Amino acid sequence: MLKRTLACALFAITGHVYAADIQVTTLVDDESYTGCSLRNAVEFLNNRSKDEFKNGYKGCGDADSSSIILLKRDQEYKLNSSLNIKAPMTIKSEASSIFNDQKMGLNNATISMSGKDRLFLIDDGSVEDALIIVHLKELNLKGASTRINNNGGLILNREDLNIEYSRLLDGNANNGGAIYNAGILSDTDAKQTAGRVSISNSIIKNNKADQGAVIYSEMPRYLISRTVIRDNEGVSSPDGTGALLYVNTGFSDKTIGNSLSSRDSGIKNSTIFNNKGGYVANIREGMVLNNLTMIKNAAGLYLQALKWKVTTTTTENGETTVRVDEYPSSYISNSIIAENGSKNCAIKSDDTTIVQSNLTTQECDHNPADRLPNFMLGSNLLIVGGMTEGHCDYPQNEGLLCPYRTPEDQMLGFFQPRLLTSYNSLSQSLIINKGRIYSDGTTFSLARCETTDQRGKQRSGFDELCDLGAIELIVNRSDVQIAGQDIFYSQVAKFSIANSLLDGELLDPEACKSILKSETNSKGQPWLPGCLEIEQTDTISKGRLTLDQKGNVTYVPNGNWHGADKFNMRVITTTTRFNDVSTQYVDIPTTIVQGPENTFKSKKVNVSGGSVGFSVILMLLGLIGLRRFKS
């Protein structure tokens, strides 16, 4: 009886974990489905204020439902035609059932178009009311197989659209391959008339359009952060009209100031590469681009931001004076902008964009002498080996960036900056500590470094300096991961320490000889990568270890011993070699556990109802609480 009561109680509790949210129960777009389809869920939220919808709609929702629509992870939901969103709502993949699973964006639900239409039209039909907020989280949005002769291959937006941890894929339209953002602000309205798009921690890939293959925005009302934009295709045009991120009209003199002070229009902390056709973006009034890695695209940026004219009227002794001051109206800073076709920057004659503290080339260096300097790429090799993607292999004395790589169990990849062995000091780097974290209070230093990088890691360095580009090299010894492996008799342990190298690379053996002034290690053996030294901790040595340049470890035990071999792998990386001799090495705690293979076969044990203890009940209720908290 106790077991039956407990089961009923658990069912009642867990059954209501997601009760307030709307769970979609079919993958197909079928209005006659008796359960809850994605289309019917959206329709319910669009109309829930009406009496006939208050108790739900075709299996979706009820009076107690939230405005959150949940989709199953790793499942694909196909649409036959566009969904019209007219009310505030969130559509997202449901949370992981694995305890403490913090991996975002790796198991997204997919919403795809099987017909010839966009996925979403987001518009409540009113320019009088405030913008509705629509949130799309942990979704893969996939466009139609052929171009739609319309605007917005994936989304047409006229509201406040927020996208997180998502992929925008395969959109193809006349304008706005992925997103068309509609609406023009007047000088007096309260921002109800123009849509707004915010994209973070996402990937935008394989979208096409004549204008705005990624985003076409009627005004610069988009903000992209911590995002990878790659393999999209625009149209080559000398005036920037085929740009991947295209803005039709800049802010006016009365609205530029609000945008610049809030820094809510533009791109930051993002990686942009391998895009084809036109310029990456045309830069209009009120936009800020900061801490970008923008390389290997068909073309760079088209600058066309007019002067910002600020009118001040004063009255003194009955006499009115009108003064007009002029300022720059857009900023590009702290970025790597290089090897983008034949031009990293094309500049319209009346442009006033400030381009400063960037690693770039001469055509982008058009500021007066009082601006912060740009750093010229010159003859330096940008990417080691010349490869866009892959491992950061030899040589360590050339190539300012590692190829693009996505770490295991992460959504976003990046180009990691390098500290070359040819440098005698950090100051020789063209990237490290070349950005400025703080503004000096003048108008030309408006765009300071972002406080975190693309990965969300706090930017570090000297008090007023950061690294150029989307990635900050960070040496945080608390991030060192414990290494090792459990093996059975006669097995060899193989694992990697790549994630414990603190944003660096293992020094190659030749560099070890030079830095440590020795041809061999402390045991008289030739140097391995990282100037490897083994320091036993709780046990004597019980095996032999080798390490390759990529951080792969092979450990061979000395026979079939039963127990553990505990030691520190001590290595020097390219990011720690400039440290004081006492902190050059990174200590990586390592444990190898060896034992005989477990041949024990468990047998099912039957227990009576009375044997269910209170500790088991408390454990189950605790898990329920954790699940409720995660939801």
Side-chain angles (χ1 to χ4, degrees), residues 106-118:
L106 297 183
N107 300 100
N108 293 357
T110 298
I111 303 175
S112 64
M113 176 53 63
S114 55
K116 191 174 181 181
D117 203 346
R118 66 175 71 91

Side-chain angles (χ1 to χ4, degrees), residues 41 100 222 235 353 383 415 519 552 556:
N100 203 31
Y222 71 81
V235 174
T353 302
I383 304 178
F415 294 91
E519 293 294 312
N552 297 313
V556 180

